[in-house]
Structure formats: C-alpha cells, structure tokens
Amino acid sequence: MSQAVSMDRPHPGSNEQPAIQLEKVNKWYGALHVLRDITLTVGQKERVVVCGPSGSGKSTMIRCINRLESHQEGRIIVDGTELTDDLRALDTIRREVGMVFQSFNLFPHLTILENCTLAPIWVRKMPKAEAEELAMSYLTRVKIPEQAKKYPGQLSGGQQQRVAIARALCMKPKIMLFDEPTSALDPEMIKEVLDTMIGLAETGMTMVCVTHEMGFARQVADRVVFMDRGEIVESGPPNDLFENPQTDRLRLFLSQILRGH
Amino acid sequence: MILRHGTMVAAAWVDHEDAIMSGAAIDPRLQPARAAPKKAFSLSWSDPRFRNIVWQVVILGTIAAIVWYLVQNTNRNLTARRIATGFDFLARTAGIPIGESLIDYDPSIHTYGRALTIGLLNTLKVAVVGVVIATIWGTLLGVARLSKNWLIAKCAAVYVEVVRDIPLLLQLLFWYSALQGLPQPRNSFHPLPGVFLSNRGVKVPLVEWEQPFWWALAALAIGIAGTMAWSRSATRKQESTGVRPKVWPVGLALMVAFPVAIWAVLGAPFDVEMPVLRGFNFVGGATLSPEYGALTIGLVIYTSAYIAEIVRSGILAVPSGQWEAAGAIGLRPGIVLRKIVLPQALRVIVPPMTSQYLNLIKNSSLAVAIGYQDIVSIANTTLNQTGQAIEGIAAIMLVYLVISLSISFFMNWYNARIALVER
Amino acid sequence: MASSETTTARLSEAAGEPVPSLAGIPAAPITRARPAITGAGPVAWARTNLFSGWVSTAVTLALIYVLGRWILGFLDWGILHAVWTVPDTAAGPDASACRDAKGTGACWAVIGEKYRFILFGRYPYDEQWRPAIVIALFIGLYIVSAMRRFWRPELLLVWVATLTAIGVLMWGGVLGMEFVPQDSWGGLPITLILSTFGLAFSFPLAVVVALGRRSTNLPAVKALCVVYVELIRGVPLITLLFMASVMFPLFMPPGLNPDKLLRAQVAVILFAGAYLAEVIRGGLQALPKGQYEAADALGLSYWEKTGFIILPQALRLVIPPLVNTFIGFFKDTSLVLIIGIFDLLTSGKVAITDPTWQGYSTEVYLVLAAIYFAFCFVMARYSRGLETEFSRTVRR
C-alpha cells in the first residue's frame, strides 16, 4: 500500500459540491490550441498532482483556475462560482484560491510580515493586529517565525518559498494551487518546502500541484493527472499510474523522469 | 502581443515535443480542428470590454471638453485683437533681413515662405555638419576614455564631466563672445593660405562648382554602388570557394580614380576664389559666420561629451571574453572587430546615439539666442511681425516633429532588424 | 585525476622548480630568462600608465606640454595678474584698473561688484536675505531627499512644507515681510524654483502618463499618452517656452492674464512630465511580471496593486535616471533667458551690459559655469553612486 497520508475525509465524488470543475475547457494562444477539451473535477479536500513534459499546458491549466490566464471555451467552476469576466465573481474566486509560484514572487520592498498581512488587511478588511497575529501563526506553521521582520532578499530560496506558502495561507483559502514550487530551488532546499506542503496536505487542504517531484506525488496525492500536448492523457491514483502506465506517452515520460529517481 | 507570445511559446513547445515524442504524429495543437470562438458582446457592467469603452469615452470626453473650451477662448481672443488666422501670410513679402542663406534671398521681393525655407536650410546646415563632426570627435573621446594611458583617459574624463555639467546655452554664449573677440579683418589670423579668422567670421577659399563636378559626383555614386556590388560578389565567391578576392583595390579605383578621371576628362576645372581684403572686410571666398561657428562649435563640443559616454558603454558592453574566444580560435584582430565585437557594440550604441543626434538637432534651436537665423529664429521674427503666433509656433513644432519622428522610425526599424533572438 | 597533475606541474613550473616526472616522462630542467622589471611604486606606475609605448609616450608628452601651457596661462591670467577689487568713487566704481589689465589679467572685481545682482536679480536690496534663505532651503531639501534613511512617506510632507515656506519667503506680504511681486524675482532662486517645482508638479502627471501608456485595456488612453509624450519629446524646449509666453495668454478667458513666470513654470512642468513619464515607464517595464501576478493572485485591485506593489518598486528602480533627468532640467531652465525671465544666466548676461563692466563677459561666464557645475556635478556624482549601489544589490 502506498504511504498515502491517511485521515478521515469524504471520498471525492460524494454529494458535496466539488472544489474545482473544469468542463471541456479550451484555450488558444492566437492560432495555437494550447488546452484541448480539458475536463477535470477536483473534490473537496482532494490532492491532485499534475505532471507532464514541459509545454504540455499544466501551468496554463492551473493559471486558468484563478484567471491569471483566461479560457475561451468551456466552463470553469471554482467553489460553486463560475469563472467569467464578471469582476465580482473573479474577486470571490481569488479570495478563496491561493497560489504559490515557481519564482516565489515575494514583494521585495516589504518585510516578511508585511508581505503576509497586506492582502488580509486590504482584501479581507481585517484589522491590522488581527492580521499580524494570523500571519505569525502561519509563519510559525511554516517554521520561520523569527524571520518576520526581515526582507525577502535576506532569506534563502527555501525560506522564501515557505513564506510564499504562508502568505497564500493568510488569506484562508479553500484551495491551494502550486505551480512548480520547487523547480527554482537548490536541491538541498527542496525537502523543507515539500515537508511544508505535506504538512499542509495533512490538514485537509484541497491542493492542485504541478510538479516533477514524483516522490511527493506518491506520498501525498490522491490522484495524479498526466497531461501532454494540451490534453489530459491519463489520470488515477499515483501507484496505478506509475506502476501501470496505460499509454506509450506516459511510459516514455516516466522513463525519462524516473531515471533520476 | 498574445499572438507573439503564443508563437514564441509554441516554438519552444514544439521543439521540446519533437525531442521527447520523436516519431509521434505532428503536434495536433498546431493544426487545430477549430479556431477560438468569438465572445459575445454584452452591454452590462460585468463585461470588461463594455467597461473599458465607457471609461475611455468618459476620459476622452473630458479632455475634448477642455480642448473645446480653450479653442473657444482662443478664437475670442484672436478676434478681439484682430489677429488673422490661416497660412496666407506665407505668400506675403517677408521684409526680414537674413544674414546668411544657401539660396538667393531678397527681403523686398521674397516671401515669408521662402524665408522660412531658408531658416530650415540653415538648421540643416548646422545639423548635418554638427552630427558628423560630433560623432567623429565623440568616438575619439570615448575610445580615449578607455585608453591605457592614464593621462589621456583622465583628460577625456574631465572634459566629459565638465562639459556635461554646464548648460549648453552658457557654452554657446561663451563661444560666441570668444569668436567675437577675434581681431578685426585687417588684423585677422592667417593660419593657412586663403583662410582668415576674424571677428567677421572665418573666410575660406571657395571652389567654383561647375558642370564636371556634377558628373564627378554622379561617378562617385556609381562607384559606391559598384563597390557594394563587388563586395557582395566577393562574399559569394568566398562562400563557394573559400577565397575572398580583395575588395579595397577595386573600391579605391571605383570611388576615387573613376570620379577623378571623369573630372579630368571633362576639362579638369579648378577655379578657386580666394578671399581678398578690400576696405574693412573680405570679398570673395566663402564665409562661416561667427554665429554659425559658435553654434556649431558649441553643439559639437556638448554633444560629443554625451556621444563619448555612449561609445564607451558600447565598447564595455562587449565582454572581454568575446575577444579572448575569438583570439583562441585564431581570428585576426581586424576580423574580430568587424564580425564579432562591432556588431555587438553597435547594438548598444545605436539607439542612444540616434537620440543624441535628435538632441543636437533640437538644441540647434538655441541659435535664436546668439543671432544665428535658423528656423526658430526666423519663425519667431515672422510671428512677431504678423502677430500670428499659433501658426508660427505650429510650423516650428511641425518641422521638428517630422525630423524627430523620422529618426525614431529609423531607430525602431534598426532595432527590430538587429534584435538578438532570445528565448 | 589528470587535471590536478597538470595543474601541479604548471604551478611548480611557475615557481622555477623542476617539473616532477609525469607518467614516466623524465623531468626536464627548467631554464628561465630573467623576468622583466616590474614592481610597485610611482616610477613603475608611470611606466605602465604613461609611457608604455612610443605612441603613448609621445601623446603623454604632448598633452603635458599643452595642458601645462594652458594651466599656467590660466593661473597667470586668473590669479597672478588679476584685478580683485576696484576703488569706489562718487560716480560709481572706477574700472580703469580693470581696463588696463584687459587681456593680461582677469577682472574679478566685476564679480565683487555684481554678485548680488547675479545671484538675486532685481530683488529689493534690503530684502535679499530672503532669497538667500530660499537658496539654502533648496539645498537642504536636496540633501535631505538624497539621504536614504529619509525615504519614507513623511518625505512628501517635508517637500510640501519646504516649498510652501519658499513661496512665503519669496512673495512676502505676511509675517511683517514686504511683498515682492514675481517680476522682481531673479537669479539663482528662479533657476531652483523652475526646476524643483517643475519636478514636483510634473511627477504625479508623469506617473499617470506612464501607467496610461502601459494600459492594455484602454487603448484610447494609451494613444493619448503616447501622443503627449512623443509630441513633447519631439520638439525643442524653446518651442514650448515660446508657446507658453505667446500662446497661453490666448488660451485664457479674457481678463485672466497669467504671470510670465507661471507660464514658464507650466511649460517646464509639461516638458518634465513627458521625460519623467518615459523614465518611470522604464521602471514599470523592468519589474518582473511575477510581481504583477502575485498581487493579482492575492486578489488586490488594480489601484491597490499599483500603489502598494508596483510603484514603490518601480520608482526605487529609476531613481538614478530620475536624478539625471533632473540635472537636465536644471540646466535647461537657462533657456528662459530667451523669453525674458530672469534666471541665473540672464542675470549674469544683463550684469555685463552695464556700461562700466562691458567686455568682462569671460569672468562672469566662468563664475556662472562654476555655480552650475557645482550643483550638477554633485548631483551627477550622487546618481552614479546610487547606480553602483543598486546594481550590486541582487534582485530576485
């Protein structure tokens, strides 16, 4: 049996409304058809890992979920709200969806604490003291409370990424999106970030994670989705996918990725 | 913008895809079964396109209202002061005395239009000469700043620093008073035969321009074209056989010997008119007025300081590793300079250089302060005489806008052509 | 490993020791020619930097000769044979000593007599302590703004307070000070006022235009900003000053006649706005796209994003080119000479039209050049220092 994190949680696909629904989502960059009929449902508290070769559309897909990219056809429904051009819908969705970027994107001119409290104060209209308390609690959770008054430039890459996770969590999102969170880190710092993400998974957060870290996928993911050339090719529990790939494309991808593991 | 990004991303994707999925079918994303659907336009606040249009209408409307208000005021004021409008004044007799002009001009018969044209020619006279000399002198200074000789480098650095920190107008006034401090014509400096420096300007001998010179000029143009063609055929020969036939002897023959031969064949005229002192001033020869001299010297000295910095940063922008790598594969310094260092340096140099040229041309408008009659000065006199300020100033602005937009256009074209292809 | 063996060989070769045998190859004896004489010290330095070759030596000697002659000539004219003061007679200063020395000695007396006019223009003689304080206030403002520890929002209040104080001092009419109309203002305060107020008021305009030019949603606004910037940058400042002095009165409703200084100030503000907008736009472009995305992902609105995240970073990035642009404005204010406003340069030029002091333009121009140079050089040095410091900071 896999070392999946076990805890009691409703099985995805129960009567509860799914966290994210993508129905036949299509996106074009000019004439290039970059997302082709993407259909994906992510249930509450489900952890999905998306993998695939570079340029397969994985990042584009999750960036469509919080409208950093816009889709031209199909429907995206996040936490019951459909994603359209409607500003109010967009505000609602962005408040409930947190994102962690490959290049961290911390605000270099603000302290760590200010990075974390900016959005709660201005978007969730929290009083400053409450926001700071919240920020400190999350910084403690990612294990760097002592860096609160420092600036991002003074932290290592792994510490910055953990701050980025804490910053996203301060908005108390229902869904967390990770866009290759460890790809820009030096190898020795990858573990600390992955441990933080595993800890987050244990609290029951709904997560969609684009990553190449297959060990993390095995440990944490309920489902792994393999994308190639803009479409979802295979999807299933990690062990099924890694042990019994059904398509040639997945087999080729695994042979190239898992060589290093 | 999205299209460009998309094609760039597509290229990267396709390359990578080819690498991983070799042998697979053509990427289906490049041959879409269907195109992106057009989005319906809805007239509601939640549609961003509608919102944007509303905002733009509001902003443009406000600005249009302000402009309309100003125009109303202007019309009222113009009629109150009985000032004419329109460009009819261009056909009226000018009556402006003009000190120096490249074409014939008589204030009592020629029009404002002709006067303004003379002003434009005077501006171009300064601009062209100024740009050429400033480039040469500025490049020398820039290279001098990088010299290993400490004294040369320091002198160049001091020159650049001092010149850039003093206003151009002050420098022009200084040069003008210096040139006016030259002695009277009867006591003028006489450094070379036929060249006289006095406070009435610099007198140089004038060569009579006759027919054979036009033919020689045409021969030069043919020679330049011929040299370019020869150079191209030499490149082709080099590509196919590896041996590059010499270009410079052919170039010399075509661009120097050929025009000279044509001139000689057509009679070899060379009538030089020497300036001769008669009474209080010189007669004959060509004159460079002190105004023109001060303006050109001032502009050249000022702009060359900026050009020196640009050239210096261009040379420094090419990492020394480029020289080392080129030397390591056995290329000689001449080839390295031409094919490797200069192309990279020019990429960094050309954009700011063209904007310095533009600055020089704009700065030539300071001529009005020292009495050189360029387009600004003559237009200023015109608008004082006719009272039509708006037309006068609009004319000046139009002239400069045309010049500056052409230069920007050229620069954008050049940048697009030589841009390094990057990921 | 092979590489370390060869490295060792090379090191020991450099040290002059015989190379140890490598894989059976017998060691070869090393003979070396004597190395060239090198070393530290001024002679060695002169050798490498001044006299390293025939051409270099020749140029150095030529330069030393020319520079020497110039510097000695200048010292001779400017100090040794100069006339520093002239006696005062009942009919005014007696400049005959200066006239006698013309050509051989500088007449610094003209500065001594005229410095108050050059610095303060036609400001009433007894009230000239006020523009003097104003000059000091400006210099203080620049120094405070330059120090990094004062880069806080409170700096804005300092600017507002200082500029208001300057206005109060120059105009007077309150606190027992005599009222002095703008027509009497002149000299260095005008130069400082035109450039500093120009920068201060054009800054918000420049920010709006820079943001507008980068807007993708509002093409009409973008086009408007492009037209404004390209129009202003395509024409010389002189045309804008002409426009201000001649056309602005026509734009105003009848009866409203804006003061000449105000007109020139508006022209400088419009001019500065276009150039500053380009500088700021460069900063906005240099900011990594990830900052915009992170702010969007957190749900910040456009103005929250721009105000809290984008502008603070972009403005900090462009401070060196901003200072360089300000240096340009400072020098460009001298153009108001042409429309008849009394700045530092105009005062200097008018000072030598005084019949007593005609012909001593060189001395006056040199002093003016020194004043401008003092301001501009310090500012240029400062901005270069900032640039080096900024490029050293690693930006992630």
Side-chain angles (χ1 to χ4, degrees):
Chain A
M1 195 55 205
S2 72
Q3 299 161 13
V5 176
S6 61
M7 55 173 286
D8 282 333
R9 48 177 168 73
H11 183 73
S14 68
N15 290 335
E16 213 178 65
Q17 171 185 269
I20 306 176
Q21 264 175 290
L22 281 83
E23 288 174 18
K24 285 193 168 300
V25 170
N26 283 279
K27 180 175 170 58
W28 284 262
Y29 272 141
L32 187 70
H33 196 173
V34 300
L35 289 180
R36 302 191 288 138
D37 286 335
I38 301 283
T39 302
L40 180 70
T41 306
V42 178
Q44 302 279 354
K45 302 203 204 294
E46 188 178 359
R47 282 100 55 175
V48 173
V49 165
V50 181
C51 66
S54 299
S56 53
K58 345 185 265 291
S59 288
T60 313
M61 182 182 78
I62 75 164
R63 285 155 67 95
C64 282
I65 297 178
N66 71 349
R67 204 62 169 185
L68 288 180
E69 311 268 2
S70 49
H71 61 287
Q72 277 96 40
E73 221 184 72
R75 298 170 73 202
I76 300 184
I77 304 169
V78 177
D79 195 36
T81 314
E82 180 163 356
L83 198 53
T84 57
D85 285 323
D86 189 18
L87 266 187
R88 271 162 307 168
L90 188 60
D91 280 342
T92 318
I93 288 174
R94 282 196 174 152
R95 239 173 296 176
E96 304 304 331
V97 175
M99 184 151 190
V100 175
F101 298 85
Q102 182 177 353
S103 47
F104 335 137
N105 290 339
L106 291 182
F107 306 133
H109 61 300
L110 303 174
T111 62
I112 302 297
L113 193 63
E114 286 166 355
N115 261 276
C116 295
T117 56
L118 182 70
I121 292 176
W122 288 93
V123 182
R124 287 217 189 268
K125 317 280 187 222
M126 236 187 251
K128 184 163 171 199
E130 198 186 317
E132 289 189 353
E133 215 183 291
L134 181 72
M136 286 309 294
S137 76
Y138 280 114
L139 286 175
T140 316
R141 247 232 293 175
V142 300
K143 298 197 177 52
I144 39 173
E146 70 280 2
Q147 311 283 6
K149 293 295 184 186
K150 295 224 181 113
Y151 284 88
Q154 299 172 282
L155 268 56
S156 75
Q159 290 171 320
Q160 287 191 42
Q161 193 63 299
R162 285 187 279 153
V163 170
I165 296 176
R167 177 178 69 173
L169 290 175
C170 282
M171 286 294 282
K172 302 242 191 92
K174 300 208 183 102
I175 302 164
M176 282 286 277
L177 305 174
F178 293 85
D179 187 1
E180 305 216 29
T182 55
S183 299
L185 294 176
D186 291 335
E188 62 268 20
M189 297 195 244
I190 293 182
K191 180 176 187 310
E192 69 194 50
V193 174
L194 289 180
D195 286 342
T196 311
M197 288 164 69
I198 293 172
L200 188 60
E202 283 172 6
T203 65
M205 172 71 75
T206 313
M207 290 164 61
V208 179
C209 188
V210 173
T211 183
H212 294 297
E213 297 289 328
M214 295 300 122
F216 171 78
R218 271 193 215 259
Q219 195 177 352
V220 155
D222 296 315
R223 206 168 15 134
V224 172
V225 168
F226 173 68
M227 277 184 72
D228 182 32
R229 295 202 213 180
E231 54 183 359
I232 294 181
V233 177
E234 282 195 48
S235 133
N239 280 341
D240 289 354
L241 228 70
F242 295 149
E243 312 297 333
N244 305 314
Q246 304 286 325
T247 55
D248 281 337
R249 294 199 276 177
L250 180 53
R251 249 172 255 145
L252 183 58
F253 175 69
L254 288 176
S255 72
Q256 289 170 327
I257 280 288
L258 295 176
R259 212 184 322 163
H261 287 252
Chain B
M1 201 178 101
I2 288 188
L3 186 65
R4 249 191 315 195
H5 173 70
T7 38
M8 276 184 346
V9 175
W13 281 349
V14 172
D15 285 339
H16 194 99
E17 293 294 56
D18 289 337
I20 283 197
M21 306 292 176
S22 54
I26 299 174
D27 192 331
R29 290 174 295 179
L30 295 176
Q31 295 173 332
R34 55 190 197 280
K38 299 280 182 213
K39 264 216 298 228
F41 182 79
S42 72
L43 225 61
S44 83
W45 195 247
S46 52
D47 186 343
R49 278 180 297 177
F50 178 71
R51 273 199 311 270
N52 292 335
I53 291 181
V54 167
W55 277 120
Q56 288 174 87
V57 166
V58 165
I59 294 177
L60 283 182
T62 323
I63 294 184
I66 297 176
V67 170
W68 181 86
Y69 173 69
L70 292 178
V71 170
Q72 290 292 93
N73 279 341
T74 313
N75 279 331
R76 218 174 315 147
N77 284 324
L78 285 177
T79 37
R81 299 175 201 199
R82 274 192 277 262
I83 297 175
T85 52
F87 284 93
D88 314 320
F89 68 92
L90 285 177
R92 296 213 306 259
T93 320
I96 305 176
I98 299 184
E100 52 187 301
S101 90
L102 285 174
I103 54 181
D104 292 328
Y105 176 73
D106 185 338
S108 52
I109 50 173
H110 284 130
T111 60
Y112 280 118
R114 194 174 177 94
L116 286 171
T117 318
I118 294 177
L120 182 58
L121 288 174
N122 282 346
T123 298
L124 290 178
K125 212 165 76 166
V126 173
V128 169
V129 174
V131 158
V132 168
I133 302 182
T135 311
I136 298 174
W137 179 229
T139 311
L140 285 176
L141 272 178
V143 171
R145 271 206 73 173
L146 294 170
S147 163
K148 290 209 178 50
N149 185 317
W150 177 89
L151 196 58
I152 297 179
K154 266 294 175 218
C155 284
V158 165
Y159 172 103
V160 166
E161 194 61 55
V162 167
V163 164
R164 291 202 311 176
D165 288 337
I166 300 178
L168 176 60
L169 188 53
L170 181 51
Q171 296 185 38
L172 286 179
L173 291 175
F174 174 75
W175 289 115
Y176 189 51
S177 74
L179 282 183
Q180 282 188 316
L182 284 174
Q184 301 270 10
R186 47 178 69 206
N187 302 327
S188 54
F189 291 127
H190 188 53
L192 296 167
V195 178
F196 297 96
L197 285 91
S198 71
N199 66 0
R200 303 290 285 270
V202 177
K203 280 273 182 196
V204 290
L206 180 66
V207 179
E208 291 284 335
W209 191 265
E210 301 189 25
Q211 265 285 53
F213 283 113
W214 286 115
W215 287 107
L217 208 63
L220 177 64
I222 296 175
I224 293 178
T227 313
M228 281 172 29
W230 178 255
S231 166
R232 232 172 297 164
S233 95
T235 312
R236 269 200 303 267
K237 214 170 289 185
Q238 180 184 21
E239 282 171 11
S240 59
T241 64
V243 179
R244 187 183 171 86
K246 285 206 199 302
V247 175
W248 66 266
V250 175
L252 208 62
L254 283 177
M255 291 195 287
V256 175
F258 182 47
V260 170
I262 294 280
W263 168 79
V265 158
L266 289 176
F270 196 72
D271 294 319
V272 179
E273 196 184 304
M274 292 292 228
V276 173
L277 181 60
R278 204 159 294 168
F280 286 109
N281 199 357
F282 287 93
V283 165
T287 320
L288 297 171
S289 67
E291 289 80 16
Y292 178 79
L295 188 62
T296 314
I297 293 177
L299 282 175
V300 162
I301 291 192
Y302 187 74
T303 316
S304 61
Y306 287 90
I307 290 183
E309 282 300 282
I310 293 171
V311 167
R312 186 177 79 107
S313 66
I315 295 179
L316 287 179
V318 182
S320 56
Q322 299 286 302
W323 284 97
E324 293 169 359
I329 48 177
L331 292 172
R332 277 174 295 121
I335 311 272
V336 174
L337 192 68
R338 232 169 18 123
K339 291 275 178 201
I340 295 177
V341 172
L342 223 49
Q344 294 185 62
L346 281 178
R347 275 185 174 84
V348 174
I349 289 179
V350 168
M353 187 79 105
T354 46
S355 77
Q356 279 309 314
Y357 291 162
L358 191 58
N359 280 345
L360 189 144
I361 298 178
K362 287 193 290 181
N363 284 336
S364 70
S365 59
L366 292 183
V368 68
I370 57 172
Y372 179 72
Q373 279 160 309
D374 74 325
I375 178 88
V376 172
S377 163
I378 293 184
N380 189 29
T381 319
T382 307
L383 72 90
N384 279 331
Q385 284 188 344
T386 62
Q388 291 184 264
I390 299 182
E391 286 82 356
I393 294 178
I396 307 175
M397 288 176 112
L398 191 67
V399 165
Y400 279 105
L401 267 179
V402 165
I403 297 177
S404 71
L405 286 178
S406 337
I407 293 188
S408 301
F409 193 70
F410 160 75
M411 202 180 69
N412 285 336
W413 168 84
Y414 178 79
N415 269 343
R417 248 197 68 171
I418 57 139
L420 289 171
V421 179
E422 283 176 352
R423 242 168 1 114
Chain C
M1 275 181 62
S3 60
S4 65
E5 278 175 348
T6 42
T7 319
T8 328
R10 254 180 273 147
L11 285 175
S12 47
E13 198 178 1
E17 297 159 7
V19 179
S21 59
L22 286 170
I25 305 169
I30 303 291
T31 48
R32 266 198 329 198
R34 284 172 68 96
I37 301 172
T38 52
V43 176
W45 178 90
R47 253 220 164 77
T48 29
N49 290 324
L50 294 177
F51 303 109
S52 57
W54 284 119
V55 178
S56 180
T57 314
V59 174
T60 306
L61 290 175
L63 269 181
I64 292 180
Y65 174 70
V66 169
L67 284 179
R69 274 197 63 173
W70 279 355
I71 294 179
L72 288 176
F74 183 76
L75 289 176
D76 190 62
W77 174 85
I79 300 187
L80 285 178
H81 290 122
V83 177
W84 296 95
T85 50
V86 286
D88 228 348
T89 65
D94 172 20
S96 48
C98 267
R99 272 195 291 276
D100 296 335
K102 191 133 204 278
T104 43
C107 180
W108 299 120
V110 68
I111 307 296
E113 293 294 320
K114 286 280 179 182
Y115 80 95
R116 283 179 82 137
F117 183 79
I118 295 175
L119 279 181
F120 304 123
R122 290 174 302 193
Y123 211 84
Y125 198 81
D126 299 319
E127 304 288 322
Q128 280 179 354
W129 56 272
R130 282 155 56 183
I133 296 184
V134 162
I135 294 177
L137 278 177
F138 270 117
I139 297 181
L141 187 64
Y142 294 161
I143 294 181
V144 164
S145 308
M147 300 212 279
R148 296 248 254 165
R149 73 174 106 131
F150 293 123
W151 284 359
R152 278 190 263 117
E154 291 81 12
L155 189 59
L156 205 62
L157 294 172
V158 169
W159 270 71
V160 172
T162 318
L163 293 181
T164 324
I166 286 168
V168 164
L169 276 170
M170 289 300 286
W171 265 302
V174 294
L175 302 178
M177 294 187 288
E178 183 191 321
F179 176 72
V180 179
Q182 296 99 296
D183 311 327
S184 310
W185 297 5
L188 186 53
I190 293 282
T191 302
L192 290 166
I193 287 175
L194 280 175
S195 44
T196 316
F197 278 80
L199 176 74
F201 284 100
S202 67
F203 202 82
L205 173 66
V207 169
V208 168
V209 170
L211 289 173
R213 201 164 162 171
R214 279 179 55 84
S215 149
T216 39
N217 289 335
L218 305 174
V221 170
K222 177 172 172 175
L224 216 65
C225 296
V226 169
V227 166
Y228 165 68
V229 169
E230 294 305 318
L231 191 76
I232 303 276
R233 277 161 51 106
V235 296
L237 176 58
I238 245 194
T239 51
L240 291 175
L241 289 175
F242 276 162
M243 205 173 83
S245 75
V246 169
M247 275 165 72
F248 280 6
L250 292 175
F251 292 161
M252 294 292 115
L256 188 66
N257 210 4
D259 165 67
K260 208 152 76 153
L261 184 61
L262 180 64
R263 281 182 253 154
Q265 182 72 78
V266 171
V268 171
I269 290 175
L270 285 178
F271 183 73
Y275 283 84
L276 284 181
E278 283 298 279
V279 171
I280 295 177
R281 189 170 75 107
L284 291 173
Q285 264 175 303
L287 213 56
K289 197 154 164 273
Q291 293 292 306
Y292 293 87
E293 289 179 352
D296 280 335
L298 283 174
L300 296 171
S301 74
Y302 175 80
W303 291 109
E304 285 165 354
K305 174 177 65 173
T306 310
F308 289 124
I309 309 294
I310 307 301
L311 279 182
Q313 297 186 63
L315 292 178
R316 221 166 288 208
L317 272 177
V318 301
I319 291 180
L322 215 89
V323 174
N324 287 339
T325 318
F326 180 69
I327 296 176
F329 296 156
F330 192 80
K331 293 185 296 172
D332 286 340
T333 55
S334 55
L335 266 68
V336 297
L337 165 82
I338 299 176
I339 55 172
I341 292 184
F342 260 77
D343 75 318
L344 183 62
L345 184 57
T346 321
S347 306
K349 196 150 183 275
V350 170
I352 45 182
T353 56
D354 184 341
T356 329
W357 300 110
Q358 255 183 354
Y360 301 109
S361 50
T362 321
E363 287 84 344
V364 171
Y365 286 156
L366 280 176
V367 169
L368 289 179
I371 298 178
Y372 276 110
F373 183 78
F375 275 96
C376 296
F377 182 68
V378 169
M379 291 194 274
R381 257 280 134 92
Y382 170 72
S383 114
R384 261 202 303 270
L386 270 187
E387 241 171 314
T388 349
E389 214 186 305
F390 279 8
S391 61
R392 249 187 274 136
T393 325
V394 173
R395 306 210 114 256
R396 241 183 273 240

